[in-house]
Amino acid sequence: EALWRSRQVATDCDVMLVMGTSAVVHPAALMPVVAKDSGAKVIEINPERTPLTGEISDYFIKGTAGDVMNRIMTDLERLL
């Protein structure tokens, strides 16, 4: 059931954040592919490139998930 729900959410999303993954553990590694095939933008945040980088990911932000998300949240708080 969890896999079915993951596919459904991936199919319906407009943007998918992919963070802190090697993108080699299946079936979870397929969810960004499902999202991309359904028209979503895929944003990858990782310290290293993965099999998704350049092929599936529309944007690659190099860094750890915690550091990058802290920077994003700080910038968003400044805007509000």
Side-chain angles (χ1 to χ4, degrees):
E1 186 175 322
L3 179 58
W4 177 84
R5 179 73 177 126
S6 296
R7 281 187 168 280
Q8 182 181 28
V9 170
T11 299
D12 294 341
C13 74
D14 296 320
V15 176
M16 179 177 278
L17 291 176
V18 179
M19 298 185 282
T21 180
S22 62
V24 295
V25 178
H26 290 274
L30 294 176
M31 295 308 112
V33 176
V34 171
K36 178 75 170 188
D37 287 347
S38 297
K41 293 289 183 185
V42 177
I43 302 169
E44 180 182 359
I45 301 170
N46 270 313
E48 303 295 330
R49 297 172 69 83
T50 72
L52 300 173
T53 310
E55 296 294 320
I56 301 300
S57 299
D58 294 289
Y59 302 98
F60 176 73
I61 302 170
K62 186 173 182 164
T64 65
D67 289 342
V68 172
M69 290 307 297
N70 283 334
R71 290 193 330 249
I72 290 170
M73 293 307 298
T74 297
D75 289 345
L76 284 174
E77 287 170 357
R78 287 184 191 144
L79 294 173
L80 301 175

